[in-house]
Amino acid sequence: RPRGPTQPKPAAPAAPAPAEEKPTEAEASPFAVADPPAEPAPEPNPWPVMAFDGLRTAMIVTDLRGRIRDLNPAAEQFFGYDAHDLIDTGIYPLFRPETPAAFSREVSEGINRHRRWQGETEFTRADGTSGHCRAEIFPVQHDTLTGLLCIVQPISMAGR
């Protein structure tokens, strides 16, 4: 049957594409030097983790906004919480300063001026008992300030 002007002419079968050639090592890089073999990542130093986990002093690590990022087993025992229950929460369920805003300001000023803050505050345990503790707060840095380390020691316990 003859094809009219409105009917397209069937396309000729396409020629197979030439096999794609991979560039040689010299062509792949503009430099004449071959890439050095990848070095394995350095092993993390186990001593800080061992110290953090092994000390009997309660320690809490927070971000710069006071959200708990880590705590050691001594802090879990001291406050009576499992670490998983506190991660990503603020510190105020644990510490009960009379005025949280003033406490935050005081800690921030101490860190900014003296690179540490120390003082006393009330705390509350998971079972509802409370007491007073001495806390020291230090900045945690890698290249920049990334968080705070709070070291807690009891002064007195109510209801024990």
Side-chain angles (χ1 to χ4, degrees):
R1 160 175 181 204
R3 297 188 186 270
T6 59
Q7 294 179 334
K9 186 176 182 182
E20 194 172 302
E21 293 182 30
K22 294 185 178 181
T24 65
E25 188 174 324
E27 294 170 331
S29 173
F31 305 106
V33 179
D35 291 332
E39 293 183 27
E43 291 291 319
N45 185 345
W47 293 107
V49 172
M50 290 170 58
F52 187 73
D53 288 347
L55 289 174
R56 294 182 184 176
T57 302
M59 293 186 289
I60 301 168
V61 177
T62 72
D63 63 16
L64 295 175
R65 295 192 176 270
R67 288 183 302 257
I68 296 172
R69 295 297 178 217
D70 201 1
L71 61 152
N72 70 347
E76 288 180 280
Q77 184 178 11
F78 180 80
F79 290 107
Y81 286 94
D82 183 78
H84 299 292
D85 296 332
L86 293 175
I87 301 298
D88 291 328
T89 66
I91 62 168
Y92 290 120
L94 304 178
F95 297 107
R96 302 285 186 193
E98 289 182 30
T99 55
F103 179 74
S104 293
R105 216 173 14 260
E106 183 181 331
V107 170
S108 294
E109 288 174 5
I111 296 293
N112 290 329
R113 288 186 183 161
H114 308 291
R115 306 288 296 154
R116 69 184 278 166
W117 176 86
Q118 62 182 0
E120 296 178 8
T121 187
E122 288 187 37
F123 67 90
T124 302
R125 295 176 35 94
D127 65 7
T129 58
S130 61
H132 282 83
C133 67
R134 182 172 297 114
E136 292 184 69
I137 301 175
F138 303 90
V140 174
Q141 287 185 242
H142 291 288
D143 291 331
T144 62
L145 183 62
T146 58
L148 301 172
L149 171 65
C150 180
I151 299 172
V152 182
Q153 296 179 334
I155 296 173
S156 68
M157 293 287 292
R160 279 208 163 201

